[in-house]
Amino acid sequence: MKKGEEQARSLFGVSLIERPKWQQFLLCSSGFFFGYLVNGICEEYVYNRLQFSYGWYFTFVQGFVYLGLIYLLGFTTKHMVNPWKTYVKLSAFLMGSHGLTKGSLAFLNYPAQLMFKSTKVLPVMVMGAFIPGLRRKYPLQEYISAFLLVSGLILFTLADAQSSPNFSVVGVLMVSGALVMDAFLGNLQEAIFAMNPETTQMEMLFCSTVVGLPLLIPPMVLTGELFRAWNSCSQHLYVYGVLVFEAMATFVGQVSVLSLIAIFGAATTAMVTTARKAVTLLLSYLIFTKPMTEQHGTGLLLIAMGIVLKLLPELKEPIPRKTMQGRPQVEQLEVEEGKTPLV
């Protein structure tokens, strides 16, 4: 295995190459959960307690923290193995998803938007069958597991809703477009890792951030958020401290999720990220002492059923490695995805 490929299969200096799949999954998932659980708590504080709803501006600040951390870890453009145009596509899908998601809130209330966004894993699985270099095929059990997970999260989140979901045709079209963008994004990242194994998580995160940061400026200026956020944060400078801390934790989560995509694929990663939303909400209830209802319990039960169903393939015997010798790398990935457990 080449040096670049070894770097792509490590997580903050911890080699994942020789470890069994379950250890790889546990390490990557732990990093992801840590990063985004901290992120969820910080967002709860900034958005709900301080009433600072400046998503574009906070993402902009977060991007500069990412670039600083990546620089400290020693990554430079000379380590790139993919052309810049690849990351232009990635950033276009990423910013399209952000824009449509935020814009849909003008036509949908939050519970309705969350219902749609919680189904992300399903379009990711479907889209994987059409991405060149992947052509993923999932067994029925995978779809049932994803459906249970999504249903449980929807029940759990709607139990906290103060109002019923409010649907608008324009809003539904916008959030559906965001889901399509998300599906393209995850599968495109997986395809890049599969077709060029020397791609590192740092390269993908660095290049996506460099390309994406300028794309944040027009919506911030057009909506006036840049000036409002600058004035508000200037009066409460400690918010920047919270943002930097959040960005550092989210950086760990981002690198971990890219490792999940590289090793286990976009669909499994989408299931992990969906489960994270439920855990974040559960911790929010425990930390901020919110009352729980039977609907919360039902949602958690469905989520647990979906996760258990996902893990059941572990009981099957894996395909002997010798049966895949001499086959192209992308084809080998397809065989492992369809016939052997991902986790």
Side-chain angles (χ1 to χ4, degrees):
M1 185 174 289
K2 298 179 181 179
K3 183 178 180 181
E5 190 171 347
E6 291 178 359
Q7 293 176 346
R9 299 300 179 268
S10 64
L11 185 62
F12 296 108
V14 178
S15 177
L16 303 174
I17 301 172
E18 302 299 331
R19 297 176 182 271
K21 284 288 185 180
W22 69 269
Q23 288 188 15
Q24 295 178 10
F25 184 81
L26 182 61
L27 285 170
C28 296
S29 299
S30 298
F32 168 73
F33 268 83
F34 165 77
Y36 278 91
L37 288 178
V38 173
N39 170 268
I41 293 172
C42 290
E43 284 190 348
E44 177 91 12
Y45 176 74
V46 173
Y47 283 86
N48 295 340
R49 296 302 173 95
L50 299 181
Q51 299 297 314
F52 281 8
S53 300
Y54 307 124
W56 293 108
Y57 183 76
F58 290 166
T59 304
F60 192 68
V61 174
Q62 183 180 39
F64 282 101
V65 177
Y66 282 5
L67 294 180
L69 292 172
I70 294 171
Y71 175 78
L72 291 176
L73 290 172
F75 179 84
T76 62
T77 53
K78 68 180 182 181
H79 297 128
M80 288 178 59
V81 296
N82 295 298
W84 278 103
K85 65 180 182 180
T86 300
Y87 298 106
V88 172
K89 294 178 184 177
L90 275 180
S91 297
F93 286 126
L94 180 62
M95 298 315 300
S97 172
H98 274 304
L100 290 172
T101 299
K102 294 178 184 297
S104 67
L105 285 174
F107 304 93
L108 300 174
N109 61 9
Y110 185 72
Q113 189 212 59
L114 192 56
M115 282 184 62
F116 281 95
K117 291 293 287 183
S118 297
T119 65
K120 173 183 173 181
V121 61
L122 297 176
V124 167
M125 294 175 73
V126 172
M127 194 68 69
F130 303 98
I131 298 295
L134 291 181
R135 306 296 184 188
R136 296 293 192 188
K137 294 182 180 179
Y138 301 96
L140 179 62
Q141 179 177 328
E142 296 278 342
Y143 286 100
I144 296 175
S145 174
F147 178 78
L148 288 172
L149 190 64
V150 168
S151 300
L153 182 59
I154 289 174
L155 275 178
F156 191 94
T157 53
L158 290 187
D160 190 40
Q162 298 299 317
S163 59
S164 301
N166 180 29
F167 295 96
S168 162
V169 175
V170 176
V172 169
L173 290 175
M174 291 181 71
V175 77
S176 298
L179 287 173
V180 173
M181 295 285 187
D182 285 337
F184 268 114
L185 178 66
N187 283 294
L188 187 56
Q189 288 174 325
E190 181 184 354
I192 293 171
F193 281 124
M195 300 179 74
N196 194 346
E198 293 189 19
T199 305
T200 64
Q201 303 98 317
M202 293 301 166
E203 174 184 334
M204 188 168 290
L205 189 55
F206 173 82
C207 296
S208 299
T209 303
V210 167
V211 176
L213 279 177
L215 299 178
L216 289 170
I217 297 176
M220 283 195 297
V221 174
L222 292 174
T223 61
E225 181 176 310
L226 176 61
F227 309 104
R228 294 197 308 271
W230 176 266
N231 292 331
S232 297
C233 293
S234 296
Q235 297 172 11
H236 304 84
L237 291 177
Y238 66 91
V239 172
Y240 285 110
V242 177
L243 293 179
V244 171
F245 177 71
E246 176 188 2
M248 293 173 67
T250 310
F251 178 78
V252 175
Q254 280 280 2
V255 175
S256 299
V257 81
L258 288 173
S259 299
L260 279 171
I261 291 174
I263 299 172
F264 298 99
T268 296
T269 303
M271 290 193 68
V272 174
T273 58
T274 301
R276 187 271 307 174
K277 294 178 183 178
V279 175
T280 302
L281 287 169
L282 180 60
L283 284 181
S284 174
Y285 273 77
L286 297 177
I287 294 173
F288 295 101
T289 61
K290 302 175 184 178
M292 295 191 68
T293 65
E294 292 183 0
Q295 188 171 336
H296 290 106
T298 303
L300 289 174
L301 179 61
L302 289 175
I303 291 169
M305 290 171 61
I307 294 173
V308 169
L309 187 60
K310 174 66 177 176
L311 296 176
L312 283 180
E314 276 290 333
L315 302 176
K316 299 179 181 179
E317 290 294 325
I319 297 176
R321 297 297 295 180
K322 63 181 181 180
T323 62
M324 294 184 283
Q325 291 179 352
R327 302 179 70 175
Q329 183 171 8
V330 174
E331 183 181 353
Q332 177 176 327
L333 285 171
E334 292 177 350
V335 173
E336 291 181 350
E337 176 73 11
K339 297 184 179 180
T340 59
L342 289 173
V343 297

